[in-house]
Amino acid sequence: MSTPDSLSADDPLAREQAHLAASRAALRAMRADVEALDITDVAANWVNAQVLARQIDERIKALADLSDTPLFFGRLDYLHAPGAEQAEGAEGEQFYIGRRHVHDAAGDPMVIDWRAPVSQPFYRASKKDPMDIALRRRFGYTGGELTAYEDEHLSDPAEAAKASRLLQQEIERPRVGPMRDIVATIQPEQDEIVRSGLSGTVCVQGGPGTGKTAVGLHRVAYLLYAHRERLARAGTLVIGPNKSFLHYIEQVLPALGELTVQQATVDDLVAHVEIKGTDDAAAAVVKGDARMAEVLRRALYAHVTMPTEPVVVVRGSRRWRVAAYEIEELVRELLERGIRYGAAREALPQRIAHAVLVQMERAGEAPDDRVQDTVARNSAVKAAVKTIWPAVDPAKLVLRLLSDPDFLAEHAAGVLSDEEQKAILWAKPARSVKSAKWSAADAVLIDEATDLVQRTHSLGHVVLDEAQDLSPMQYRAVGRRCTTGSATVLGDLAQGTTPWATRSWAEALSHLGKPDAVVEELTAGFRVPTDVIAYASRLLPHIAPGVTPVASVRENPGFFELRPVTGDDAVVAACRELLDHEGSIGLIAADARVPALAEALTAAGLTYLAPGEETTPDTRLTLVPASLAKGLEYDYVVLDEPQAVVDGEPDERTGLRRLYVALTRAVSGLIVTHAAPLPEQLG
């Protein structure tokens, strides 16, 4: 590794620094060119002008040069020109690999996008398979300045393979602020997932610190690069477990130049009603069961009744009669086709009108499509459709199911047991949709009913993170958003902390509507220190027997300490001790313990943040309820009272899973403080 002690004009590091400066200047010129565009006389109308202006604004933002983010992080020296025949004497090329493409005034590339095919060997090449790479160079940065480089001569058999110090330092760099990209540290097994095709759905099972969330986000960035036009039309969406988590990851894609990806929680997707109530565990489990879809379908289509009277259409002096049995045939045909309730209701008047037109043609008339549309709007036809196939409000349908025991019993017969029906019935039936105390699970039921009435819009690609906590009905809600697209499902079966947590990925993917998805497992841990993950993995036989324990690949062992304490002052002292180190600190505790610890921190003069709030150099301590710790990471963690974390959940297995999550949030060090005995499962 070279360092900038004494640089000359011929020093390789000086040349690389010069290329960085030139590349940044070229990026500024690219942005200036876009800012200088005059679209005054380009757009045909004001609508097109607005769309074009927005696209230009997004392009300007995407071309921003982030001063503290390296513009390129590696270099590849090819033995031959990529894509050319490897003939003797063929001249190789040199490419700088970075977060985005940069070209000079002549259009020649100065930095190649990490997603381009020519960049792939940076992540995949090895001594065993050099992929025509003579040299792979990694760069080290300090505060945005290029300060070091490290070379691997992949084509030189005399040079032994060795671990990259710069790569290890980047992996272990302190985490302050929101989640950052891992584009400089993507490993071969991660890169394979990132570059998998758009048409297929991928499920990534990964333990703590294996980088599954980052892999999912980088896959979105790759797909937008490889299929930009298609995804620009269809749209992309990242779904996270809560707002704090989404805030934590929201800067990753913009740092890669991708600004159009939407983010939401499952609750955001199904926000048809205002959430005012909560369910107990028993009710939530039943409402989240996939069998509820059949109950809703039965209840909805029960509104369809067979006609008992003919429809008589009067046009001028003529009367046209469609018999009841003919209309019944039309209704049964629509039911057998299995199309959406609303679509069938819209089709029925046209079917009846067509039957009238057939009679007109037999009588010697020559009606056209306009006549059919007029007949379909006839008051007699509209009245018949209203009786036979009435409009149904999805929220009112769910309201009746949860309020009317007879209505629920009729449509849940043979699907839900009597006990299950009692579990989901409201103790106090609501009078209206607005006055009802809807729960989050109720909103998912309304979303299912809404889709039965009218098809949900499908996106091109959806990323679903922390998927192990979703109920089958929530999986169905997400699946509706990508019926014509693909998905990236991310999760860890060992971290499922809901009563309805996923038992197997095969089952979950079936509910998602993607049973043919490929399941990949990441087992190399890049975040959690060896001693910490080994201690947490003691819980795996009790919470997820089939899950492979994470094997930490970090060189820095960090530190791990079990510390018996006698009061909250000792917990505060542990936090103060960690503040002497560089990086972020998370104090994780059972939700019920948070108020007391907040009071103790305030009394001690220690300022702290809530999850999702961005750390600053002056405020690096976050007080985290255990229920919100999932998906977050801190350089150092103080975990307060493990047994209290377990006891805070409805059952022991869920509590142990919550504890597993809390134990694995640390990047560099963990102190476990406890006055009560530790859970016996930790040995």
Side-chain angles (χ1 to χ4, degrees):
M1 182 184 298
S2 173
T3 56
D5 293 329
S6 56
L7 298 176
S8 67
D10 295 328
D11 191 296
L13 183 59
R15 292 198 299 271
E16 302 294 17
Q17 290 169 335
H19 186 78
L20 175 62
S23 299
R24 289 197 183 280
L27 181 59
R28 289 194 296 271
M30 290 170 62
R31 186 174 186 181
D33 288 344
V34 179
E35 291 173 329
L37 290 174
D38 184 0
I39 61 172
T40 306
D41 299 322
V42 175
N45 54 57
W46 72 270
V47 175
N48 290 341
Q50 290 290 322
V51 172
L52 186 56
R54 185 175 69 251
Q55 291 174 342
I56 290 175
D57 184 57
E58 290 176 352
R59 175 68 173 163
I60 291 171
K61 291 178 181 177
L63 288 170
D65 184 9
L66 307 177
S67 59
D68 59 344
T69 302
L71 191 55
F72 57 78
F73 46 82
R75 196 185 90 187
L76 291 177
D77 291 5
Y78 274 80
L79 288 169
H80 308 85
E85 292 293 330
Q86 296 185 8
E88 185 176 353
E91 185 177 354
E93 293 187 65
Q94 187 179 92
F95 299 96
Y96 287 84
I97 312 302
R99 285 167 170 76
R100 59 155 302 106
H101 173 86
V102 179
H103 59 256
D104 61 18
D108 294 325
M110 301 189 70
V111 180
I112 300 294
D113 195 303
W114 66 276
R115 297 166 287 188
V118 74
S119 302
Q120 188 172 7
F122 185 79
Y123 304 107
R124 302 274 189 98
S126 64
K127 279 283 186 179
K128 186 175 181 180
D129 181 15
M131 300 177 70
D132 201 40
I133 300 299
L135 179 142
R136 173 168 54 200
R137 174 169 288 179
R138 298 181 189 275
F139 297 108
Y141 286 81
T142 303
E145 296 298 320
L146 199 163
T147 55
Y149 71 88
E150 183 180 70
D151 288 344
E152 290 178 86
H153 297 275
L154 297 175
S155 62
D156 185 355
E159 184 176 298
K162 58 184 178 182
S164 167
R165 285 183 56 197
L166 289 180
L167 177 64
Q168 196 68 34
Q169 288 171 6
E170 176 63 20
I171 289 173
E172 298 178 359
R173 183 158 55 93
R175 280 128 169 98
V176 178
M179 181 181 180
R180 62 175 184 261
D181 64 75
I182 61 163
V183 64
T185 63
I186 294 173
Q187 300 299 294
E189 65 273 18
Q190 296 173 325
D191 187 66
E192 186 175 346
I193 297 171
V194 167
R195 295 176 191 266
S196 55
L198 176 61
S199 59
T201 289
V202 177
C203 175
V204 182
Q205 159 64 41
T210 54
K212 57 184 177 295
T213 295
V215 165
L217 294 176
H218 285 67
R219 186 181 182 214
V220 172
Y222 171 77
L223 292 176
L224 285 167
Y225 175 89
H227 308 277
R228 189 165 302 280
E229 289 188 8
R230 179 176 171 183
L231 289 179
R233 293 191 303 269
T236 50
L237 174 67
V238 174
I239 302 173
N242 51 58
K243 296 293 186 183
S244 296
F245 179 82
L246 292 177
H247 179 73
Y248 177 64
I249 68 171
E250 67 183 358
Q251 295 303 317
V252 175
L253 290 169
L256 300 174
E258 300 299 343
L259 307 171
T260 61
V261 181
Q262 297 175 298
Q263 294 186 346
T265 64
V266 173
D267 290 345
D268 293 332
L269 299 183
V270 300
H272 302 285
V273 291
E274 183 181 356
I275 305 302
K276 300 178 181 177
T278 57
D279 289 312
D280 59 31
V285 168
V286 177
K287 289 179 180 179
D289 195 295
R291 292 173 297 161
M292 287 300 299
E294 173 61 17
V295 175
L296 288 165
R297 190 196 65 80
R298 290 183 183 182
L300 175 63
Y301 282 91
H303 290 78
V304 179
T305 58
M306 294 303 165
T308 57
E309 300 289 337
V311 172
V312 179
V313 177
V314 179
R315 284 183 58 81
S317 61
R318 302 294 299 271
R319 295 164 62 87
W320 308 97
R321 183 177 182 275
V322 183
Y325 77 88
E326 291 183 80
I327 302 173
E328 181 176 342
E329 289 178 358
L330 297 175
V331 171
R332 292 192 183 281
E333 181 189 353
L334 288 170
L335 288 171
E336 289 171 2
R337 287 186 60 192
I339 61 177
R340 294 296 196 282
Y341 184 94
R345 185 175 185 276
E346 293 174 359
L348 182 56
Q350 289 288 338
R351 300 296 179 88
I352 296 174
H354 180 72
V356 172
L357 259 65
V358 170
Q359 294 183 30
M360 290 180 177
E361 291 170 348
R362 288 173 180 169
E365 296 188 16
D368 56 19
D369 290 344
R370 290 175 297 177
V371 174
Q372 179 169 324
D373 290 339
T374 301
V375 173
R377 295 193 298 270
N378 181 274
S379 59
V381 175
K382 291 169 67 176
V385 171
K386 184 177 181 180
T387 301
I388 298 167
W389 209 298
V392 177
D393 180 272
K396 290 181 179 178
L397 177 69
V398 176
L399 178 71
R400 187 178 177 191
L401 274 173
L402 301 178
S403 302
D404 185 339
D406 294 334
F407 186 68
L408 176 61
E410 178 184 356
H411 302 297
V415 180
L416 301 180
S417 67
D418 292 343
E419 290 75 17
E420 288 173 325
Q421 293 177 38
K422 290 178 182 177
I424 65 174
L425 278 168
W426 287 341
K428 294 182 179 180
R431 294 183 178 180
S432 68
V433 170
K434 287 188 177 181
S435 65
K437 292 186 177 181
W438 298 106
S439 68
D442 297 334
V444 178
L445 297 180
I446 295 173
D447 191 70
E448 178 84 26
T450 301
D451 185 71
L452 288 170
V453 174
Q454 185 175 6
R455 185 182 299 276
T456 303
H457 173 68
S458 178
L459 299 165
H461 192 77
V462 170
V463 175
L464 176 61
D465 205 353
E466 299 296 348
Q468 72 280 343
D469 278 334
L470 268 61
S471 70
M473 290 298 285
Q474 287 176 317
Y475 277 116
R476 290 174 63 89
V478 174
R480 285 191 283 277
R481 272 74 186 178
C482 56
T483 52
T484 58
S486 56
T488 302
V489 181
L490 313 167
D492 179 11
L493 296 178
Q495 296 186 60
T497 52
T498 55
W500 49 84
T502 301
R503 290 172 291 188
S504 75
W505 289 123
E507 180 182 340
L509 293 166
S510 176
H511 293 312
L512 190 69
K514 308 291 183 184
D516 298 328
V518 175
V519 180
E520 303 281 0
E521 187 171 16
L522 297 176
T523 58
F526 304 98
R527 174 171 58 79
V528 186
T530 301
D531 290 348
V532 174
I533 195 64
Y535 184 71
S537 294
R538 296 182 182 185
L539 297 173
L540 286 179
H542 307 281
I543 59 177
V547 170
T548 304
V550 173
S552 179
V553 297
R554 295 181 45 153
E555 291 183 356
N556 182 355
F559 69 83
F560 169 60
E561 179 184 350
L562 296 174
R563 183 179 296 183
V565 298
T566 56
D568 294 345
D569 289 345
V571 179
V572 173
C575 294
R576 192 184 298 278
E577 178 183 322
L578 292 178
L579 284 169
D580 291 335
H581 297 266
E582 180 186 1
S584 57
I585 298 95
L587 170 55
I588 304 177
D591 291 29
R593 288 271 298 146
V594 168
L597 291 173
E599 185 176 339
L601 290 172
T602 302
L606 292 184
T607 57
Y608 61 90
L609 304 168
E613 295 180 342
E614 191 168 335
T615 59
T616 67
D618 296 327
T619 308
R620 296 181 288 117
L621 173 63
T622 303
L623 177 56
V624 188
S627 62
L628 296 181
K630 190 173 298 179
L632 305 180
E633 59 183 28
Y634 301 93
D635 288 294
Y636 300 95
V637 167
V638 176
L639 174 59
D640 170 75
E641 293 296 353
Q643 188 61 53
V645 174
V646 177
D647 294 341
E649 300 298 327
D651 59 82
E652 184 179 64
R653 187 178 187 185
T654 303
L656 291 173
R657 286 182 169 185
R658 183 76 71 190
L659 177 58
Y660 180 74
V661 172
L663 283 167
T664 54
R665 299 305 95 198
V667 175
S668 298
L670 170 67
I671 298 175
V672 177
T673 59
H674 65 102
L678 295 169
E680 61 180 12
Q681 291 84 355
L682 286 173

